[in-house]
Amino acid sequence: MLPLSVVALALLILYLSQYGSDIRTARALAPGLSWTRIPIMRSLAVFVALVFVPPLFVLWVGNWVLMPEWPWLWVASVVVSGLISYTWYRYLAWLDVHEPEQRWVMLLVFLFAVVLTYFVPDLYRAVERATAWDINGEFLNDLLYSVVVIGGLEESAKLIPYLVLLLFTKRINEPYDHLLYLSLSALGFAFVENMHYLHRSDLFAVTGRALYASVAHMCFSSFIGYGVARALPKGRGHAIVVGMLMFLVACAAHGLYDVWLVAPGRPTFLTTIFFLGTIQIWVIMKNNLINTSPFAEPHRKLRSTMFRYRIVNAMLAIFMLAFMVIHLMKGSSVAWDFYGGQWVRMLVMLLILAISFGSYQVVPGYVARLGVSPNPIRWFLPIGGSGEDLSGTRIRVDIPERSWKKIDLPELRRALPVMGVPGAARGTGR
């Protein structure tokens, strides 16, 4: 297996190559525009500042402890956790291009999930008292506990705000809304969880919480939203059945992610492998739901060139903030231990997520098959490329005359839309 530093270097070269290509494209599209007014050029300046300024600050201040841990560790944990959730919220909002949701509704869903999260520890204790069931180091026991108790309780807590919105309001009115609101609920849950993990670890858990746990919570809950969104056109009863099945899938995925982490001595890299496969599925799910929006219009474009750079800069800023706070509370030696122990892992996962989540293919009405690459090595590579935006492109479709009456023209017009009349030549229609 290649050393992680080699993987990091390869991903960085790929990322910088993409950066150079996007900069050239941006300059070609706006040849007379000052570079300070081109977003991608500004993002490059921010990236360079984030890479160099915090380390120079730590070197300049030296090994001085300038902040007491109490109450600043708690303050930093809350702020960093909030910035993690806010970064991923912004990404979800960027994707909501066809019929954007109101911010106050999204905030209420997030806060509702935050409140519900505080009841989960009591539920854990209630289950353990009633069943005497707990993590004991035996793999089968821990797997079942991770799926049934951890997955069941946590996915239920994240599901409730979404169900309230779905059943009692009309806010969820396009397929992507299902994924959006479940992901926001997951971010509310992750905010509380991250806050406590960051505090207990003296902020050292920031990479795992920002790039693994928060994203995993979104992905697992999204399975439910995706299933319901795809099933609703076939009827409410069908959507209920599919939603229940996808809830079980979300619990199972949650358990398979956690089981390698809940007891010492297990190969925790299996969590990373499972997580990378889950990311591939999530990227397809969000593309499919965006493509099937009833509000899709040719003039509305999903401009995702900047997605990857915004994600990288935001997460790099969070990492560097933790680095500087650790320095101010514990001194430069501890801060450099944090930096040296995490920067490679942080860089690898950040670039995989940024490049993959910046991948899209806008084809109104197109639904790709869910799945992951059959080659596990491919899981360690980001899903590159932004695809071609085919919105507004004219295509010709020849339809046999015997099939013409079977075509759902209203649905076809909504998806493409359709122009033309049945043709007489060789029994085809256009």
Side-chain angles (χ1 to χ4, degrees):
M1 183 177 293
L2 290 175
L4 195 60
S5 57
V6 175
V7 177
L9 179 61
L11 287 170
L12 186 59
I13 292 172
L14 173 64
Y15 176 77
L16 294 177
S17 173
Q18 182 67 54
Y19 222 143
S21 175
D22 289 339
I23 288 174
R24 288 192 295 272
T25 301
R27 295 294 293 170
L29 292 174
L33 197 63
S34 169
W35 75 270
T36 57
R37 298 181 62 188
I38 300 176
I40 195 169
M41 296 298 292
R42 293 200 301 266
S43 74
L44 178 59
V46 172
F47 176 80
V48 172
L50 287 170
V51 168
F52 291 104
V53 172
L56 290 174
F57 170 80
V58 171
L59 289 172
W60 177 68
V61 173
N63 199 33
W64 290 93
V65 176
L66 303 177
M67 290 169 49
E69 290 191 32
W70 174 258
W72 293 110
L73 180 57
W74 262 118
V75 172
S77 299
V78 173
V79 171
V80 171
S81 181
L83 289 174
I84 292 169
S85 290
Y86 179 76
T87 298
W88 291 122
Y89 147 74
R90 289 295 298 154
Y91 170 70
L92 294 168
W94 293 332
L95 294 175
D96 191 20
V97 293
H98 296 309
E99 199 261 341
E101 298 301 297
Q102 292 182 296
R103 292 181 181 179
W104 69 268
V105 179
M106 293 190 283
L107 178 61
L108 283 180
V109 169
F110 175 85
L111 294 176
F112 190 10
V114 168
V115 172
L116 290 175
T117 304
Y118 282 99
F119 292 95
V120 173
D122 291 333
L123 294 175
Y124 275 126
R125 288 189 286 269
V127 169
E128 291 167 2
R129 284 195 302 268
T131 63
W133 194 11
D134 200 354
I135 300 293
N136 64 9
E138 295 179 5
F139 182 78
L140 182 58
N141 170 84
D142 293 354
L143 176 61
L144 291 174
Y145 185 92
S146 297
V147 172
V148 176
V149 181
I150 298 177
L153 291 179
E154 295 190 4
E155 293 306 322
S156 295
K158 293 184 288 180
L159 182 62
I160 292 173
Y162 160 77
L163 287 178
V164 170
L165 206 65
L166 178 65
L167 298 176
F168 300 106
T169 76
K170 296 182 179 180
R171 295 284 175 182
I172 299 178
N173 56 2
E174 67 170 330
Y176 178 73
D177 290 348
H178 296 268
L179 183 145
L180 171 66
Y181 282 113
L182 270 165
S183 295
L184 288 170
S185 184
L187 289 177
F189 185 97
F191 168 74
V192 178
E193 196 176 68
N194 290 346
M195 183 173 59
H196 290 283
Y197 274 101
L198 289 169
H199 182 262
R200 289 203 296 266
S201 68
D202 295 335
L203 301 183
F204 272 65
V206 64
T207 298
R209 304 314 302 178
L211 302 178
Y212 285 82
S214 297
V215 178
H217 275 300
M218 288 195 304
C219 290
F220 302 149
S221 297
S222 294
F223 288 135
I224 306 170
Y226 182 82
V228 173
R230 298 290 300 141
L232 270 176
K234 298 180 180 179
R236 188 183 183 92
H238 185 69
I240 292 173
V241 173
V242 172
M244 293 173 65
L245 291 175
M246 295 306 286
F247 172 77
L248 298 178
V249 171
C251 294
H254 200 136
L256 286 170
Y257 177 93
D258 278 344
V259 69
W260 311 104
L261 305 174
V262 295
R266 289 184 181 149
T268 56
F269 73 90
L270 292 177
T271 288
T272 299
I273 294 176
F274 181 77
F275 177 59
L276 292 173
T278 305
I279 289 171
Q280 291 198 354
I281 295 175
W282 192 89
V283 170
I284 299 172
M285 289 195 301
K286 60 96 173 170
N287 281 350
N288 286 348
L289 296 184
I290 292 171
N291 285 340
T292 53
S293 172
F295 302 103
E297 297 177 4
H299 70 276
R300 285 180 176 160
K301 307 292 185 181
L302 181 59
R303 306 293 189 189
S304 76
T305 302
M306 289 300 299
F307 287 177
R308 62 178 67 95
Y309 307 120
R310 290 169 175 165
I311 292 172
V312 166
N313 284 349
M315 288 296 168
L316 185 58
I318 290 169
F319 179 82
M320 290 301 188
L321 174 62
F323 169 59
M324 289 192 294
V325 171
I326 290 171
H327 164 250
L328 293 174
M329 290 191 304
K330 295 180 176 294
S332 61
S333 59
V334 177
W336 285 116
D337 287 342
F338 163 81
Y339 188 93
Q342 298 209 29
W343 78 268
V344 175
R345 176 168 167 252
M346 185 274 296
L347 183 63
V348 167
M349 188 52 63
L350 176 56
L351 293 181
I352 289 175
L353 286 176
I355 296 173
S356 296
F357 282 12
S359 172
Y360 75 102
Q361 189 172 13
V362 176
V363 185
Y366 173 69
V367 177
R369 182 180 64 85
L370 289 184
V372 298
S373 171
N375 182 3
I377 296 177
R378 185 65 183 81
W379 298 9
F380 292 89
L381 301 175
I383 303 173
S386 57
E388 182 181 2
D389 188 342
L390 301 178
S391 299
T393 302
R394 289 194 176 195
I395 62 173
R396 169 176 169 154
V397 180
D398 291 329
I399 303 172
E401 187 174 14
R402 63 179 181 275
S403 302
W404 182 254
K405 294 181 180 180
K406 300 178 182 179
I407 300 297
D408 185 355
L409 286 179
E411 180 68 16
L412 197 59
R413 288 192 182 98
R414 182 197 67 75
L416 292 178
V418 172
M419 292 184 293
V421 294
R426 288 198 295 264
T428 63
R430 287 197 301 243

